[in-house]
Amino acid sequence: MSLQPKGPGGRQGFATLSLEYPMSLGVFEQYVDAQKAVDTLSDNQFPVENCLIVGTDLKQMERVTARLTWGRVALGGLLSGVWLGLFVGLILSLFSRPSNPLTLLLYTALYGAVFGLIWSVVGYAFTRGARDFSSVSQVVATRYEVFCEHKFAQQGRQILADAGIDVGGREGIGIAPVTPTSPPTQPSSPDHPGPPPPAG
């Protein structure tokens, strides 16, 4: 099994993000714990180039930063426009060599401020108050699993066990424990009598 799809549609830049026959060494709730496990393997001369940390159970977190008002939107657009205008003016002054670079910067900053103001106000008007707040979002994983090639799996598990690293309450692909269970017993009935009582 490979954790990275291969074939004509695969991206060559991600060739190093693949394992041919991965086996799980442990599951961790925090990335720093998975990082510590791999670091422990590295300190014990384990071939860590055969390891892969996979974040699973992704969720999106959005942090609301402020309430949006017409004034806040206009000010934000104005400031971003000024910075954009200054950047464009700086580029033009380097390549066109105007007689007065300062005047060019002032004009481009002014045009940028007007453009940014109009752009932000018009964009906010189109939302019709459906999103009156600003926020930042990030996709994070709820757990992290460390994989390695199957031929090094036993060695890696032994190193982590000797180091006393908790690898989680469950194991991943290929090494899930199987608990033997007894066959279910059916209730006795006239059509399906139960098992005979033990001989006494």
Side-chain angles (χ1 to χ4, degrees), residues 38-60:
V38 176
D39 187 59
T40 301
L41 295 174
S42 178
D43 292 341
N44 287 271
Q45 310 304 316
F46 183 84
V48 290
E49 63 272 12
N50 295 281
C51 290
L52 183 67
I53 301 177
V54 180
T56 57
D57 297 338
L58 302 181
K59 64 179 180 180
Q60 178 175 332

Side-chain angles (χ1 to χ4, degrees), residues 83-95:
W83 283 113
L84 178 61
L86 287 175
F87 176 74
V88 173
L90 182 61
I91 297 298
L92 291 177
S93 64
L94 290 177
F95 291 97

Side-chain angles (χ1 to χ4, degrees), residues 108-146:
T108 53
L110 178 61
Y111 290 140
V114 173
F115 175 80
L117 176 62
I118 296 176
W119 182 267
S120 61
V121 169
V122 170
Y124 182 64
F126 273 107
T127 64
R128 299 180 182 274
R131 187 181 173 88
D132 284 338
F133 63 90
S134 60
S135 63
V136 292
S137 60
Q138 182 181 11
V139 177
V140 297
T142 57
R143 70 188 185 107
Y144 298 87
E145 193 161 3
V146 178

